[in-house]
Amino acid sequence: MLIDNPTVGDSSTASFSTEDEGRFQRVRVSVLGRYMLADRREFPCQIVEMSPGDAMVIAPVSGNVGERVIIYLDHLGRVEGTILALTDGGFRMDLVASPRKRDKMAAQLTWLANKDLLNLPEDRRHERVVPDIRHSSIRLEDGRHYNCKITDISLSGAAVEIDVRPALGTPITLGRMRARVVRHFSDGIAVEFASVQEMLTVVQQNLRIG
């Protein structure tokens, strides 16, 4: 369930599933992009509210109800759908997507909605930053535990200082995050997280040892 209209002062973060009796609740975001109407004219736009099922678009040219629209958005990539209603300064559109893409979109929207709450940089899709709490642990599937230090972290993975070098492709758990080893360094390894959705948990819990 979406937490509607999260604000910076909230103590909890926004999160939701993509299923709620067939309905989607929107969260407030600020995402820039470009949209193309059915006649192939293109204009800049801004998404101010969005769910995996629909979006509120601020746009200089609104188009017509029922018209197909394609939008290329920062952070979210290409989305498409039809105009459901015209609004003052834009329109509301539905979003046509597979269940898998809706799940991915839900994770991305959760990240964007919580960006200010968690004091994150504007673009964290793949930008690497040093977390506030660097000490964590890695657990292998056989139960072995190793202390480690996070060198840097991004939405998709992390670089970790650690004494051991599990084989490439080895499944591990970093803090509370499922991941796999994708690279070896002289002083550690790089891991790729199992899903973008779980990256939110990393930030919320600061990779505390679980």
Side-chain angles (χ1 to χ4, degrees), residues 93-111:
M93 65 179 292
D94 67 353
L95 300 177
V96 178
S98 66
R100 181 176 180 180
K101 186 168 183 177
R102 287 191 196 278
D103 286 341
K104 181 179 179 181
M105 196 181 303
Q108 292 168 319
L109 288 172
T110 297
W111 178 266

Side-chain angles (χ1 to χ4, degrees), residues 105-187:
M105 196 181 303
Q108 292 168 319
L109 288 172
T110 297
W111 178 266
L112 291 170
N114 287 303
K115 172 168 58 64
D116 292 330
L117 296 178
L118 300 171
N119 195 29
L120 301 174
E122 282 297 314
D123 185 0
R124 275 296 301 273
R125 279 181 302 161
H126 299 292
E127 177 187 350
R128 290 190 172 273
V129 297
V130 177
D132 293 335
I133 298 177
R134 297 181 61 195
H135 292 283
S136 187
S137 71
I138 280 181
R139 186 175 71 252
L140 302 184
E141 287 190 317
D142 62 9
R144 285 179 292 171
H145 244 88
Y146 301 95
N147 292 330
C148 66
K149 183 183 290 187
I150 308 300
T151 303
D152 56 50
I153 194 167
S154 77
L155 182 57
S156 57
V160 181
E161 294 180 18
I162 190 170
D163 294 333
V164 298
R165 304 288 186 279
L168 297 181
T170 299
I172 60 100
T173 301
L174 173 60
R176 294 180 173 88
M177 290 291 302
R178 292 184 298 111
R180 66 184 182 91
V181 179
V182 294
R183 194 174 304 116
H184 290 164
F185 301 128
S186 59
D187 58 352

